[in-house]
Coordinates of all heavy atoms in Angstrom, one line a residue:
K603 N -41.2 15.4 -12.0 CA -42.1 15.6 -13.2 C -43.4 14.9 -13.1 O -43.5 13.9 -12.4 CB -41.3 15.2 -14.5 CG -40.0 15.9 -14.6 CD -39.3 15.6 -16.0 CE -38.0 16.4 -16.1 NZ -37.3 16.3 -17.4
L604 N -44.4 15.3 -13.8 CA -45.6 14.7 -14.0 C -46.2 14.2 -12.6 O -46.2 14.9 -11.7 CB -45.4 13.5 -15.0 CG -45.0 14.0 -16.4 CD1 -44.5 12.9 -17.2 CD2 -46.2 14.7 -17.1
N605 N -46.7 12.9 -12.6 CA -47.5 12.5 -11.4 C -46.6 11.8 -10.4 O -47.1 11.0 -9.5 CB -48.7 11.6 -11.8 CG -48.2 10.2 -12.3 OD1 -47.1 10.0 -12.6 ND2 -49.1 9.3 -12.3
N606 N -45.3 11.9 -10.5 CA -44.4 11.3 -9.5 C -44.6 11.9 -8.1 O -44.9 13.1 -8.0 CB -43.0 11.3 -10.0 CG -42.8 10.7 -11.3 OD1 -43.0 9.5 -11.5 ND2 -42.5 11.5 -12.4
R607 N -44.3 11.2 -7.1 CA -44.6 11.6 -5.7 C -43.3 11.7 -4.9 O -42.5 10.8 -4.9 CB -45.5 10.6 -5.0 CG -46.9 10.6 -5.6 CD -47.7 9.4 -5.1 NE -47.2 8.2 -5.6 CZ -47.3 7.0 -4.9 NH1 -47.8 7.0 -3.7 NH2 -46.8 5.9 -5.4
A608 N -43.1 12.8 -4.2 CA -42.0 13.0 -3.3 C -42.5 13.3 -1.9 O -43.1 14.3 -1.7 CB -41.1 14.2 -3.8
E609 N -42.3 12.3 -1.0 CA -42.9 12.4 0.3 C -41.9 12.0 1.4 O -41.2 11.0 1.2 CB -44.1 11.4 0.3 CG -45.2 11.8 -0.7 CD -46.4 10.8 -0.8 OE1 -46.4 9.8 0.1 OE2 -47.2 10.9 -1.6
N610 N -42.0 12.8 2.4 CA -41.2 12.4 3.7 C -39.7 12.4 3.4 O -39.0 11.5 3.9 CB -41.7 11.1 4.2 CG -41.7 11.1 5.7 OD1 -42.7 11.3 6.4 ND2 -40.5 10.7 6.3
N611 N -39.2 13.3 2.6 CA -37.8 13.4 2.4 C -37.2 14.6 3.2 O -37.9 15.5 3.5 CB -37.5 13.6 0.9 CG -38.0 12.5 0.0 OD1 -37.5 11.4 0.0 ND2 -39.2 12.8 -0.6
I612 N -35.9 14.4 3.5 CA -35.2 15.5 4.1 C -34.1 16.0 3.2 O -33.3 15.2 2.6 CB -34.5 15.1 5.5 CG1 -35.6 14.9 6.5 CG2 -33.5 16.1 5.9 CD1 -35.0 14.5 7.9
I613 N -34.1 17.3 2.9 CA -33.1 17.9 2.0 C -32.4 19.1 2.8 O -33.1 20.0 3.2 CB -33.7 18.4 0.7 CG1 -34.6 17.3 0.1 CG2 -32.6 18.9 -0.2 CD1 -35.3 17.8 -1.2
V614 N -31.1 19.0 3.0 CA -30.4 20.0 3.8 C -29.2 20.5 3.0 O -28.4 19.7 2.4 CB -29.9 19.4 5.1 CG1 -29.0 20.4 5.9 CG2 -31.1 19.0 6.0
D615 N -29.1 21.8 2.9 CA -28.0 22.5 2.3 C -27.6 22.0 0.9 O -26.6 21.3 0.6 CB -26.7 22.3 3.2 CG -26.7 23.4 4.3 OD1 -27.5 24.3 4.2 OD2 -25.9 23.3 5.2
I616 N -28.4 22.4 -0.1 CA -28.1 22.3 -1.5 C -27.0 23.3 -1.8 O -27.2 24.5 -1.4 CB -29.3 22.5 -2.4 CG1 -30.3 21.4 -2.0 CG2 -28.9 22.4 -3.8 CD1 -29.9 20.0 -2.3
L617 N -26.0 22.9 -2.4 CA -24.8 23.8 -2.6 C -24.9 24.6 -4.0 O -25.4 24.1 -4.9 CB -23.5 23.0 -2.6 CG -23.4 22.0 -1.4 CD1 -22.1 21.2 -1.5 CD2 -23.3 22.9 -0.1
K618 N -24.3 25.7 -4.0 CA -24.3 26.6 -5.2 C -23.4 25.9 -6.3 O -22.5 25.2 -6.0 CB -23.7 28.0 -4.9 CG -24.7 28.8 -4.0 CD -24.1 30.2 -3.8 CE -25.1 31.0 -3.0 NZ -24.6 32.4 -2.7
A619 N -23.8 26.2 -7.5 CA -23.1 25.6 -8.7 C -22.8 26.7 -9.7 O -23.5 27.7 -9.7 CB -23.9 24.5 -9.3
N620 N -21.9 26.4 -10.6 CA -21.6 27.3 -11.7 C -22.1 26.6 -13.0 O -22.0 25.4 -13.1 CB -20.1 27.6 -11.8 CG -19.6 28.4 -10.6 OD1 -20.2 29.3 -10.2 ND2 -18.4 28.0 -10.1
H621 N -22.5 27.5 -13.9 CA -22.9 27.0 -15.2 C -22.2 28.0 -16.2 O -22.5 29.2 -16.3 CB -24.4 27.0 -15.4 CG -24.9 26.5 -16.7 ND1 -24.7 25.1 -17.0 CD2 -25.5 27.0 -17.8 CE1 -25.2 24.9 -18.2 NE2 -25.7 26.1 -18.7
N622 N -21.3 27.4 -17.0 CA -20.6 28.2 -18.0 C -19.9 29.4 -17.3 O -19.8 30.5 -17.8 CB -21.4 28.7 -19.1 CG -21.9 27.5 -20.0 OD1 -21.2 26.6 -20.2 ND2 -23.2 27.6 -20.4
G623 N -19.4 29.1 -16.1 CA -18.6 30.1 -15.4 C -19.4 31.1 -14.6 O -18.9 31.9 -13.9
K624 N -20.7 30.9 -14.6 CA -21.6 31.9 -13.9 C -22.3 31.1 -12.7 O -22.8 30.0 -12.9 CB -22.7 32.4 -14.8 CG -22.1 33.3 -16.0 CD -23.2 33.8 -16.9 CE -22.6 34.6 -18.0 NZ -23.7 35.1 -18.9
P625 N -22.4 31.8 -11.6 CA -23.1 31.1 -10.4 C -24.6 31.0 -10.7 O -25.2 31.9 -11.3 CB -22.8 32.1 -9.3 CG -22.5 33.4 -9.9 CD -21.9 33.1 -11.2
M626 N -25.1 29.8 -10.3 CA -26.5 29.6 -10.6 C -27.3 29.4 -9.3 O -26.7 29.0 -8.2 CB -26.7 28.3 -11.4 CG -26.0 28.3 -12.7 SD -26.8 29.5 -13.9 CE -28.4 28.6 -14.2
P627 N -28.6 29.8 -9.2 CA -29.4 29.6 -8.0 C -29.5 28.1 -7.7 O -29.4 27.2 -8.6 CB -30.7 30.2 -8.3 CG -30.8 30.1 -9.8 CD -29.4 30.3 -10.3
V628 N -29.7 27.8 -6.4 CA -29.9 26.4 -6.0 C -31.3 26.2 -5.6 O -32.0 27.1 -5.2 CB -29.0 26.0 -4.8 CG1 -27.5 26.2 -5.2 CG2 -29.3 26.9 -3.6
T629 N -31.8 25.0 -5.8 CA -33.2 24.7 -5.5 C -33.3 23.3 -4.9 O -32.6 22.4 -5.2 CB -34.0 24.8 -6.8 OG1 -35.4 24.6 -6.5 CG2 -33.6 23.8 -7.8
F630 N -34.3 23.2 -4.0 CA -34.6 22.0 -3.3 C -35.4 21.0 -4.2 O -35.1 19.9 -4.3 CB -35.3 22.2 -2.0 CG -34.3 22.7 -0.9 CD1 -33.9 24.1 -0.9 CD2 -33.8 21.9 0.1 CE1 -33.0 24.6 0.0 CE2 -33.0 22.4 1.0 CZ -32.6 23.7 1.0
F631 N -36.4 21.6 -4.8 CA -37.2 20.8 -5.8 C -37.3 21.6 -7.1 O -37.6 22.8 -7.1 CB -38.7 20.6 -5.3 CG -38.8 19.5 -4.3 CD1 -38.8 19.8 -2.9 CD2 -39.0 18.2 -4.7 CE1 -38.9 18.8 -2.0 CE2 -39.1 17.2 -3.8 CZ -39.1 17.5 -2.4
S632 N -36.9 21.0 -8.2 CA -37.0 21.6 -9.5 C -38.1 20.8 -10.2 O -38.1 19.6 -10.4 CB -35.7 21.4 -10.3 OG -35.8 21.9 -11.6
L633 N -39.1 21.6 -10.6 CA -40.3 21.0 -11.2 C -40.3 21.3 -12.7 O -40.2 22.4 -13.2 CB -41.6 21.5 -10.6 CG -41.7 21.4 -9.1 CD1 -43.1 21.9 -8.7 CD2 -41.5 20.0 -8.6
R634 N -40.2 20.2 -13.5 CA -40.2 20.3 -15.0 C -41.1 19.3 -15.6 O -41.0 18.1 -15.2 CB -38.8 20.2 -15.5 CG -37.8 21.2 -15.1 CD -38.1 22.6 -15.7 NE -37.1 23.6 -15.4 CZ -37.1 24.4 -14.3 NH1 -38.1 24.2 -13.4 NH2 -36.2 25.3 -14.1
E635 N -41.9 19.6 -16.5 CA -42.9 18.8 -17.2 C -44.1 18.4 -16.4 O -44.0 17.7 -15.4 CB -42.2 17.5 -17.7 CG -43.1 16.7 -18.6 CD -42.4 15.4 -19.2 OE1 -41.2 15.2 -18.9 OE2 -43.1 14.7 -19.9
G636 N -45.2 19.0 -16.8 CA -46.5 18.7 -16.2 C -47.5 18.1 -17.2 O -47.1 17.7 -18.3
P637 N -48.7 18.0 -16.8 CA -49.2 18.5 -15.5 C -48.8 17.5 -14.4 O -48.6 16.3 -14.6 CB -50.7 18.5 -15.7 CG -50.9 17.4 -16.8 CD -49.8 17.4 -17.7

Side-chain angles (χ1 to χ4, degrees):
K603 304 186 178 188
L604 297 167
N605 73 340
N606 301 295
R607 294 170 290 149
E609 302 176 2
N610 215 94
N611 301 284
I612 288 181
I613 309 176
V614 174
D615 274 351
I616 298 300
L617 308 175
K618 292 183 178 180
N620 292 318
H621 185 66
N622 294 323
K624 298 179 180 179
M626 299 294 291
V628 299
T629 182
F630 286 76
F631 281 93
S632 177
L633 307 185
R634 296 292 185 272
E635 188 178 357

